[in-house]
Amino acid sequence: MQMNVDFSLSRRRWLVWGLAASGAASASAVTLPLATTGLTGRIVVVGGGMAGTTVAKYLRPWGGTRAQATLVATDTRYTSNIMSNLVLNGSREVASLRYTHDRIVSAYGVKRQRGTVKRIDTATRRVLLADGTRLPYDRVIVAPGVQFDEAYGLTQADYDTHTPHAWRAGAQTTLLRQQIAAMQAGDVFVMTIPKAPYRCPPGPYERACVVADHLKQRLGTAARVVVLDANPAIQAEPENFTRAFTQIHAGVIDYRTDVADLQIDPLTRQVTWTELSGEAGQVQAAVVNPIPPHRAAGSGPGGWLTQAGVINSSDGRWAVVNVLNYESTAVPRVHVIGDAAQCGLPKAGHVANQEAKICADAILRALGQRAPDPAPVANSACYSPITASTASWLTAVYQYDPATRSMKVAADNGSTLTGRAIEAAHINSANFRQMQGWFAALMGDTFA
Ligand SMILES: Cc1cc2nc3c(=O)[nH]c(=O)nc-3n(C[C@H](O)[C@H](O)[C@H](O)COP(=O)(O)OP(=O)(O)OC[C@H]3O[C@@H](n4cnc5c(N)ncnc54)[C@H](O)[C@@H]3O)c2cc1C
């Protein structure tokens, strides 16, 4: 490892080159010229989703020729959850949400290792894969996303066959779309929302709107969508979703809060619960879409992240990290980013991309014996379709607050850290068009 490396120089060169390349006709055919920064390190990244792919990619141009980044991915393809609600109304196909790691391998020199991590040996600093492969590391970055609890009387097999959560895009998304397509006039669609924190705070409300809109187009006002929320209120974009529920989809969406004791029969699709008042609720659904409580993938009893000692949130579900470098607060040299981390930022793909960049920067500084950036900034943007052709959006800028050592939403004028996320003033088709551009830019920044 070397001291006093000028990161700004290699970053500047790369940014200038990257801007030039983005204007070239066939950027995919070229390989980036990497700088010699003097940094040396073996960095293993676990998980080829939004967070893991971004961090593996950016370590290379920022770290230079001898900063090795090895990406461990279970699959050759990644299916984006973002935009997957639009599969449910037939606007998109799951196939259109698939991405590969080919480009970050060919253009950036990331090493790809196909496999599933079974253990991290933090004493000898090795990542162990299911096929017996051992990968030594100087730093390991863990980005495995989430896993889903068996909840409400349902098993993992029930989610796959009868009551899909579709909160990880793939076969369950297709199953849910087929079930919705088979609904008849008078049928009821029931979806459930777990207590926060969960993946994608606006996502469930967005899904309720997309499904309500689609059923209205097909079945008229006979359509009914019952949303059973374990939380006391809408968790993101409250103004726009309240407008959507009470005006745009009035009479179709029936939104209930503080729902407890949910029980779902996967075969009869009978759903029961308790209201805050103590009253019992019951509905006979045609389609049930339970979003179960989730946790960091690899957590829980016997999980590989639990065994590594990094699952240390008070509820035992997430890995608490230092937001200056995303290092575990429990285990040195293990960094956790994306949905698996507890860092005060929302669990979202755009945010995972931001965390990845802060983490990559901090690790490269550490390889050069330098402290992390003392004032990191992250932004979050999220578009939500409300109908098949209109959308709203939500955005926030997060800044580091040294007093609490946490990331806080900056106010509009940037002067204080007590701001709120900003919602779109209108739900309209212009937002829907911008959403496509935002999605293409985010996925391009991650996978291309
Ligand atoms: C319906 C829906 C809509 C959404 N819409 C938006 C949106 O509009 N905007 C937004 O910003 N976010 C959105 N999100 C949230 C976003 O998808 C997640 O926050 C994001 O994918 C998190 O990234 P991640 O890298 O942490 O996890 P993931 O993207 O899930 O990637 C984790 C990867 O790790 C792999 N992995 C797991 N365990 C192992 C192991 N042991 N070994 C090797 N690999 C492993 C997994 O296979 C997976 O490929 C949405 C989510 C859903 C469900």
Side-chain angles (χ1 to χ4, degrees), residues 15-89:
L15 286 171
V16 169
W17 189 91
L19 287 174
S22 66
S26 59
S28 61
V30 291
T31 303
L32 276 171
L34 295 184
T36 304
T37 61
L39 297 176
T40 302
R42 294 163 305 181
I43 303 146
V44 175
V45 179
V46 182
M50 297 303 295
T53 307
T54 309
V55 79
K57 168 180 164 176
Y58 275 87
L59 280 166
R60 296 287 296 152
W62 291 354
T65 44
R66 296 179 64 198
Q68 279 180 29
T70 302
L71 177 68
V72 184
T74 43
D75 211 331
T76 52
R77 291 178 314 190
Y78 172 74
T79 306
S80 168
N81 304 307
I82 307 174
M83 296 292 139
S84 66
N85 282 333
L86 290 178
V87 173
L88 303 180
N89 67 1

Side-chain angles (χ1 to χ4, degrees), residues 75 77-88 93-99 146 148 160 164-176 199 207 439 443:
D75 211 331
R77 291 178 314 190
Y78 172 74
T79 306
S80 168
N81 304 307
I82 307 174
M83 296 292 139
S84 66
N85 282 333
L86 290 178
V87 173
L88 303 180
E93 299 298 324
V94 169
S96 76
L97 300 173
R98 295 214 171 103
Y99 296 83
V146 298
F148 300 93
D160 286 337
H165 55 69
W167 216 239
R168 181 188 297 124
Q172 286 192 22
T173 315
T174 304
L175 175 60
L176 187 57
R199 160 178 275 185
R207 178 174 287 178
F439 178 60
M443 301 315 275

Side-chain angles (χ1 to χ4, degrees), residues 152 259-263 272-274:
Y152 320 134
V259 165
D261 307 325
L262 258 171
Q263 282 296 310
T272 60
W273 68 92
T274 310

